[in-house]
Amino acid sequence: ELKVEQNPLFLSMQEGKNYTIYCNYSTTSDRLYWYRQDPGKSLESLFVLLSNGAVKQEGRLMASLDTKARLSTLHITAAVHDLSATYFCAVSFGNEKLTFGTGTRLTIIP
Amino acid sequence: KAGVTQTPRYLIKTRGQQVTLSCSPISGHRSVSWYQQTPGQGLQFLFEYFSETQRNKGNFPGRFSGRQFSNSRSEMNVSTLELGDSALYLCASSHQDRGYQFFGPGTRLTVL
């Protein structure tokens, strides 16, 4: 059974600082997704990573994938308040079923 | 281009009742998946439909069912509601096999 672990679960960081969220998964996966969720809202797609060594960047967020280590990271550079949200990683293998991590609740403190 | 829409947005039911939730995918998307989100269990996959056929199913009891129509719209039904069914139910659609999944706003179901 595919399991996905994220850490940390909660993260408070000051504006302007850098930090990384980690996503580990237990078995082979062929797609890894990162989503953002604001309180009371739905999931917003951020990145999809398909192959080993894949790196994608959008603004202050950068995601990478190491399939050999079964690890993805979401790096936040020079955080700003607007990035406060819960971030989820999700993996799939061979079909549309997404297995989600527990989520990381990120709070950016001015 | 309109996004994924879900109706109703909020619903309050009592134990033992049944409920039907609706999802309209992005135009042209043929795959529709459903997820349940609760504080305790997080986001869990319910089922996925493609071209009116259920292709994948999660580990939920038979009280949870769904269907998809020829226009790709999907419904999910929960019978004999339990308190633990209170959750945010999210629908996602994708354009083709293994496409990027886009989520709707969700239906928040409260069971009293």
Side-chain angles (χ1 to χ4, degrees):
Chain A
E1 180 186 349
L2 180 58
K3 293 186 179 179
V4 182
E5 291 185 354
Q6 271 181 254
N7 66 82
L9 297 184
F10 300 94
L11 177 57
S12 288
M13 51 190 294
Q14 288 186 319
E15 278 190 329
K17 300 290 188 181
N18 303 333
Y19 210 82
T20 301
I21 300 171
Y22 298 88
C23 174
N24 287 93
Y25 52 98
S26 61
T27 63
T28 301
S29 165
D30 60 1
R31 291 186 178 219
L32 189 136
Y33 299 84
W34 284 97
Y35 287 91
R36 167 182 172 147
Q37 186 175 40
D38 291 299
K41 299 292 182 65
S42 186
L43 297 171
E44 174 189 350
S45 303
L46 294 175
F47 304 108
V48 57
L49 304 169
L50 304 179
S51 59
N52 188 44
V55 177
K56 290 196 174 180
Q57 183 164 4
E58 181 73 33
R60 301 176 187 274
L61 300 178
M62 183 176 71
S64 65
L65 177 62
D66 181 343
T67 57
K68 294 179 181 177
R70 293 178 185 161
L71 170 69
S72 179
T73 60
L74 181 66
H75 187 73
I76 302 147
T77 301
V80 294
H81 180 69
D82 287 353
L83 291 178
S84 294
T86 299
Y87 292 85
F88 291 93
C89 65
V91 298
S92 65
F93 181 66
N95 56 44
E96 297 297 292
K97 173 184 175 181
L98 296 181
T99 300
F100 282 86
T102 50
T104 296
R105 185 176 296 180
L106 173 64
T107 303
I108 309 297
I109 303 167
Chain B
K1 196 172 187 182
V4 179
T5 59
Q6 292 186 244
T7 57
R9 294 293 311 279
Y10 302 91
L11 207 48
I12 299 175
K13 292 285 188 180
T14 56
R15 281 181 298 174
Q17 287 187 309
Q18 75 167 20
V19 67
T20 299
L21 311 181
S22 180
C23 171
S24 293
I26 292 171
S27 178
H29 286 196
R30 296 168 64 191
S31 170
V32 174
S33 299
W34 289 88
Y35 294 84
Q36 181 196 65
Q37 185 176 25
T38 60
Q41 299 299 317
L43 280 152
Q44 294 185 287
F45 173 80
L46 282 155
F47 27 65
E48 183 232 349
Y49 287 86
F50 183 86
S51 293
E52 302 178 64
T53 301
Q54 186 182 89
R55 283 204 302 192
N56 296 289
K57 188 176 187 302
N59 297 322
F60 279 81
R63 299 185 298 106
F64 291 82
S65 63
R67 59 178 175 168
Q68 187 181 33
F69 302 94
S70 58
N71 61 359
S72 294
R73 189 178 70 85
S74 177
E75 288 182 347
M76 68 164 281
N77 184 276
V78 188
S79 62
T80 319
L81 284 166
E82 300 177 359
L83 296 179
D85 297 333
S86 294
L88 179 65
Y89 290 88
L90 293 165
C91 163
S93 75
S94 61
H95 178 253
Q96 56 190 12
D97 273 358
R98 315 309 321 289
Y100 213 136
Q101 292 195 33
F102 295 90
F103 283 80
T107 295
R108 185 163 297 280
L109 171 65
T110 302
V111 182
L112 302 176

